[in-house]
Amino acid sequence: MTPFQMIVSALVVLALVIILYFWKSKHPPLGGPPNPPNPPGPPPGGVIRELYVADAGDAAIWTFAIADDTSLLQVPPDRYIKGDLPYDPGMTQLSSPMDVAVDRVSLFVLNQYIDGDGNLLPGNGVDPNGNPLPNVNPILIFNTNMSGDFKPYTWWGPDAFPHATDGTPQAVPLCMAISSKNPDSLLLGEQGTAGTFVQQMDKFPQAPGNRGQPVTSNLNSGYVTGIATHKEDDGTVSFALVWTNPPQVPPSQNPLPQYAVLFFANTPNFAGVPAMATQMITGPNTSLNRPQRIAFGPDGSLFVTNWGDQQGHGSVTIYRRDANGNYQFVQRIGGLWQPTGIALGIDGTIYVADLARILVFDPRDVAAAKSDVIEPKQVVEVNTMFAAPDGTNQMPLSAELNGMAIRTVL
């Protein structure tokens, strides 16, 4: 081989290496890194209280500091995790974040792909018509101690969820929560072709295709839109989920309720949840109306967001235990636009994601209310958060807020 040929060969090899590097940066492996890095180190010293909110409209995650008086404080823009629209699988990988969960050091984002018609699709590579889709990883995991150019340090890919023998995903995750029973596990509410699941998964992928275990599949239709867990005073763990069952066509002879909150008490382990819920909250006297998300209060009360029958008729419905331990509807916060995410602080402060705004309710105002019209102590309008680069107009945002979660480090 002549010197010229050797130089040409070396340049070709170098070019191939460069092309492969950039291709990998834009196409991360679907099942998560083969050897994922260890979770981030402990957070810096001091008390940390933060609220994270998923924004599907802007492909973003909003972060707010929670002040001592429980109001929300805007953090610097470098704590704002923003995806690229149209979707770009580089950097943050955010496409249409639906829900979030957070522990002391990691933020878990449930990420989906929405097609041009507004249909929610799993990141399995093709749409129902066989057209290629972007490489979307459904669960992205970020370091909460970072700022600036966010990038997930690991992720779960589509192959982590139940698949048919032909490779078609059988379940699309719609909501998630960190297990109060096993803090190393995520619970995911899923809509599946073979039934409705709540699935338990290790928070951190050990290898591509390492799938979780179904917790319960006794719901053979509908889908789970919200899930929450709670550690009781006696140390046992309960969990609750919001279940929506679209009307059947043709109608069934024994139709199931269209909306329900299912409560499971004292779960010994999430792989052995009883086939029947401890209590099903459903019916006209519960004020459920297109329920979306759910959260436990510090005392075990349940708070459910409801879209209502039209924008402006949304609500938060509150259920407390009676003397027999059964949940009863007790109160409603009405007049909301289109509420989805909900989270409660350790003092009972209620944070609600209401379309493009975040509402903060003082629990004392809620308890003292004589009607369902309750004035929030704070309203954060997300669409007018950041000024444009010239400092005059606001950045054009089109927030569509979804799930939220609170990070507390004491």
Side-chain angles (χ1 to χ4, degrees), residues 77 221 243 251 295:
S221 63
W243 174 61

Side-chain angles (χ1 to χ4, degrees), residues 20 31 49 58 64 146 157 177 184-185 191 217 229 258 298 308 315 339 387:
L20 180 61
R49 286 191 292 265
D58 295 311
F64 298 89
M146 283 185 61
D184 293 326
S185 295
Q191 175 188 8
S217 58
T229 69
Q258 189 170 351
S315 66

Side-chain angles (χ1 to χ4, degrees), residues 173-223:
L174 300 176
C175 57
M176 69 177 175
I178 293 176
S179 166
S180 297
K181 180 72 175 179
N182 180 2
D184 293 326
S185 295
L186 286 175
L187 293 177
L188 294 124
E190 301 174 357
Q191 175 188 8
T193 58
T196 302
F197 296 88
V198 175
Q199 181 176 222
Q200 177 178 266
M201 299 176 62
D202 293 336
K203 285 197 300 189
F204 301 102
Q206 303 303 312
N210 181 13
R211 296 175 182 144
Q213 296 178 332
V215 172
T216 177
S217 58
N218 59 298
L219 306 175
N220 57 10
S221 63
Y223 45 92

Side-chain angles (χ1 to χ4, degrees), residues 215-241:
V215 172
T216 177
S217 58
N218 59 298
L219 306 175
N220 57 10
S221 63
Y223 45 92
V224 178
T225 61
I227 188 167
T229 69
H230 176 68
K231 181 170 285 188
E232 307 286 355
D233 291 341
D234 61 2
T236 60
V237 171
S238 304
F239 86 97
L241 57 87

Side-chain angles (χ1 to χ4, degrees), residues 91 115 126 129 219 383:
M91 286 303 293
D115 68 9
V126 295
N129 298 319
L219 306 175
N383 281 342

